[in-house]
Amino acid sequence: MIKDLWDLCVAFFRAGNFGFGGGPAMIPLIQNEAVDRYGWMSNSEFAEAVAVTNALPGPIATKLAAYVGFKVASWPGVAVATAVTVLPTILLVVWAGQFLMKHAQDPGVQAALKGVRPVVAVLIGAVALGWMWDIMSLGLEHSDWRILGGSALIAVGAALGLRRKVHPAVLVAASMAVGGMVFR
C-alpha cells in the first residue's frame, strides 16, 4: 500500500505540474501515468473514467485524481492523488501569479505561453484520437457495426452541439440517453 501511495504521489505530481492549460490539458498526462506507465487501468477504462468524472461538477483533474486514487489505494489513494494534484498548483499560483502579473506584458513571457498552446492542443487531440481508435477497434473486433456507427453518431452530434454552443453537461446527458438506446 505504501508503494501504491508513493506511485500515486509521483504520477499525479508529474501530471499536475506539466498540465499547462488547465484540467483538460492534464487528461493526456494522467492517462500516460495511469494507463501507460503504471498500468492501473486500460485505455477503455480510462475513457470511461473521464466520461464519468466529466459528468460531475468540478475540475476534471481533481475528479480524475480521486477516481484513479480510489481505484489504486482506496480512500488513502484519493487523499494522496487529490492533494498532490491540487497543492503544487495552489503554491505555484501564489508564487508565479505575482511574477506573471508583474510581467504579463513582457513579449518573452507572452511568446513562451503562446508556444505552449499548440502542444496542449496536440495532446488533447491525441487522447481523443486514441479513444476513437479504441472505439473503432472494439466495434471491428466484435463485428458489431452498431457500436461503431452509434459511437460515430454520438461523436458527430457532440461536435455539432459544441459548435452551436450547447452546454457540455447537456451533451453528456444526451450522449448517455442515446448510448442507452443504441448500445442496449
Side-chain angles (χ1 to χ4, degrees):
M1 170 95 121
I2 298 295
K3 182 180 180 339
D4 289 337
L5 293 174
W6 175 252
D7 289 345
L8 283 167
C9 185
V10 170
F12 282 94
F13 183 81
R14 274 194 294 248
N17 286 293
F18 294 106
F20 291 101
M26 289 176 60
I27 293 171
L29 301 172
I30 295 170
Q31 180 182 25
N32 180 63
E33 298 292 338
V35 175
D36 301 332
R37 186 177 303 264
Y38 291 102
W40 292 322
M41 55 182 57
S42 68
N43 270 327
S44 60
E45 288 173 317
F46 186 79
E48 289 173 9
V50 170
V52 167
T53 57
N54 209 25
L56 302 171
I60 186 72
T62 53
K63 294 180 291 185
L64 273 175
Y67 186 99
V68 174
F70 188 81
K71 182 168 176 50
V72 173
S74 190
W75 289 106
V78 171
V80 166
T82 304
V84 169
T85 300
V86 173
L87 288 176
T89 302
I90 291 170
L91 296 174
L92 188 60
V93 164
V94 169
W95 177 76
Q98 293 175 355
F99 174 83
L100 289 175
M101 295 279 278
K102 188 183 276 188
H103 302 287
Q105 300 306 317
D106 181 84
V109 171
Q110 288 183 351
L113 293 175
K114 285 179 183 175
V116 171
R117 290 180 191 157
V119 172
V120 170
V122 167
L123 289 172
I124 293 170
V127 168
L129 288 173
W131 291 342
M132 260 334 236
W133 181 255
D134 285 347
I135 290 168
M136 289 173 30
S137 296
L138 178 66
L140 296 175
E141 281 177 18
H142 298 294
S143 299
D144 188 351
W145 291 96
R146 190 178 60 172
I147 292 173
L148 183 59
S151 297
L153 174 72
I154 291 169
V156 168
L160 291 173
L162 285 174
R163 183 102 172 126
R164 294 178 186 256
K165 308 264 192 258
V166 175
H167 194 280
V170 172
L171 296 175
V172 169
S175 70
M176 291 172 76
V178 172
M181 291 184 288
V182 172
F183 301 130
R184 178 166 278 160

